[in-house]
Amino acid sequence: METVLERPTKREQKMASELVANFTTAISRRKTDTVSISIHESKESFAIPRRALEFLSHILSIMAQGKAISLIPAESELSTQQAADMLNVSRPHIVKLLESGVIPFTKAGSHRRILLEDLMKYASQQDKTRKKRLKFLADQAQDLNLGYE
């Protein structure tokens, strides 16, 4: 089950931007695992997990940047197109990674399915490799005195 929140409007982006810092600070002061929140208009109060508010804080910071958000449960299986969209690569590239054994997958009939956890593990490995290579290039530029400071 995927939930997609469309790109926020300029008004929503401004509201999120103004709110996120105070919201994050208020959450960080809490020491308990639950937080009591109130809805001003209806005067209703709820106790919710602190982690849910931390997640809301993260959503607000993304909204403040004007980005759209997708929420996907961690145990989800993704299609090759969904995986490609998440990594911002082409679907044929994902298929090559699957068929070469780089990312594990299962088949449901003729359709390939990828666990979100496996896709995120691959993305994390790619990010580490990218950072390592960029550091090597930056160090090399410094050693060769190419004028970057």
Side-chain angles (χ1 to χ4, degrees):
M1 178 185 104
E2 179 179 359
T3 302
V4 177
L5 302 176
E6 300 295 325
R7 186 175 304 277
T9 64
K10 290 289 184 190
R11 182 176 171 270
E12 292 169 334
Q13 187 176 346
K14 184 176 185 274
M15 287 175 62
S17 183
E18 292 170 353
L19 177 62
V20 71
N22 291 336
F23 192 82
T24 303
T25 302
I27 294 169
S28 67
R29 282 188 248 146
R30 301 291 308 169
K31 302 299 180 205
T32 61
D33 290 340
T34 60
V35 178
S36 179
I37 62 169
S38 299
I39 299 176
H40 184 72
E41 289 84 5
S42 66
K43 304 204 184 332
E44 295 177 88
S45 294
F46 305 93
I48 65 170
R50 178 183 168 167
R51 292 181 70 184
L53 276 185
E54 289 169 350
F55 190 63
L56 179 56
S57 175
H58 186 65
I59 290 171
L60 287 170
S61 68
I62 293 170
M63 285 183 76
Q65 297 170 29
K67 296 179 181 176
I69 301 167
S70 294
L71 304 175
I72 304 171
E75 300 81 27
S76 294
E77 288 187 337
L78 306 171
S79 69
T80 53
Q81 187 59 59
Q82 288 171 316
D85 291 344
M86 286 185 73
L87 297 182
N88 201 25
V89 298
S90 69
R91 192 189 68 76
H93 180 68
I94 290 291
V95 172
K96 286 178 191 174
L97 293 172
L98 298 177
E99 296 300 330
S100 65
V102 174
I103 303 173
F105 72 100
T106 58
K107 275 199 161 186
S110 62
H111 300 281
R112 296 172 190 89
R113 296 288 178 236
I114 307 154
L115 287 175
L116 178 60
E117 180 180 349
D118 292 334
L119 187 68
M120 293 295 94
K121 190 182 299 180
Y122 168 77
S124 176
Q125 289 169 346
Q126 288 299 103
D127 192 44
K128 287 176 186 171
T129 300
R130 185 178 306 109
K131 286 179 181 176
K132 182 179 174 183
R133 290 180 180 169
L134 284 172
K135 183 178 179 345
F136 171 78
L137 289 173
D139 291 345
Q140 190 177 47
Q142 287 292 328
D143 292 344
L144 294 173
N145 198 21
L146 295 177
Y148 301 107
E149 296 190 32

